[in-house]
Amino acid sequence: MKKIAFAIMLVLVLASTAMAAKTEYGPYVGMLLSGQQLQETDVSATGLDVTFDPGFGVTAYAGYHWPIGLRLELEGSYFKSDIDKVKAGGASAHPDGSVDMKAIMVNALWEFENSSQWFAYLGLGGGYGWSKGEVYGDHASDSVPLMQPILGVGYHLTENISMNLDYKYTFGLDTLDYDGVKGDFDAHRLGLGLRYNF
């Protein structure tokens, strides 16, 4: 009797582990809190180099996951970084300013499953971003098409909920023009969040 009870318990434990490791396919939603590091940029027409402090952001997304591993999702994000310093020749200054970006992206991803609760994914996204640059209270805005390669890992917490850590390199396909002050947008982003599969 004890052996039968032990066998039943073992089957239940293995079954629950298998269920937890299984990805639920279909629609999903998720959210990430991220850190951002903007690359140093040369500001054209001024001869200035601008560096940035580490920034922050939030991303929300919704998508669909097919059993073959393909995921397609729509992502909305907001990120902001403060200006660290502005350099010209050997001189530098630390102005009070920031750059923010609101973006809408469409991501195509491929998710790799294994027999454990861990998984990995990679993909590519494209979309559009609206940016505002501000220095000492004066601000100007511009918009730019964006792309982002994506690399991530995740862990199935339950059958429907997973924790995700991903890296995105988000960059503009054109130069931002803040009322004649032009610069490139290149950002490294590392995010941690949760995904819920319906």
Side-chain angles (χ1 to χ4, degrees):
M1 187 67 180
K2 289 182 180 179
K3 289 183 179 180
I4 294 174
F6 177 77
I8 292 172
M9 185 181 299
L10 184 61
V11 169
L12 289 174
V13 169
L14 291 175
S16 64
T17 302
M19 286 188 84
K22 174 182 176 296
T23 295
E24 280 295 310
Y25 302 109
Y28 63 86
V29 295
M31 180 169 284
L32 292 164
L33 297 177
S34 302
Q36 168 179 274
Q37 183 60 60
L38 284 175
Q39 297 277 78
E40 179 177 342
T41 184
D42 298 323
V43 180
S44 62
T46 65
L48 302 177
D49 292 330
V50 182
T51 60
F52 299 90
D53 291 326
F56 69 93
V58 60
T59 298
Y61 57 90
Y64 194 91
H65 189 184
W66 282 270
I68 60 172
L70 176 66
R71 285 167 43 202
L72 288 178
E73 64 186 31
L74 180 66
E75 167 196 304
S77 63
Y78 171 80
F79 284 84
K80 182 177 181 179
S81 291
D82 290 333
I83 295 173
D84 173 31
K85 61 184 171 183
V86 176
K87 298 179 291 184
S92 65
H94 299 269
D96 180 20
S98 63
V99 170
D100 69 19
M101 176 70 78
K102 303 178 184 74
I104 297 292
M105 306 290 285
V106 176
N107 301 321
L109 305 111
W110 195 269
E111 191 160 299
F112 303 92
E113 294 286 335
N114 56 42
S115 58
S116 73
Q117 290 167 273
W118 291 95
F119 59 92
Y121 54 94
L122 56 84
L124 184 67
Y128 212 78
W130 296 263
S131 179
K132 181 178 73 173
E134 183 174 348
V135 179
Y136 294 124
D138 293 327
H139 59 83
S141 302
D142 195 16
S143 57
V144 64
L146 299 170
M147 287 194 71
Q148 58 182 17
I150 304 164
L151 181 64
V153 294
Y155 184 83
H156 294 292
L157 299 173
T158 70
E159 186 177 354
N160 300 95
I161 300 174
S162 63
M163 179 177 289
N164 303 277
L165 175 69
D166 71 25
Y167 164 77
K168 295 171 181 169
Y169 173 53
T170 307
F171 60 94
L173 297 177
D174 200 357
T175 301
L176 286 164
D177 185 348
Y178 302 106
D179 288 346
V181 179
K182 299 180 181 180
D184 295 325
F185 184 86
D186 294 283
H188 298 281
R189 295 173 172 174
L190 187 65
L192 179 66
L194 296 174
R195 187 176 85 200
Y196 181 82
N197 290 79
F198 294 98

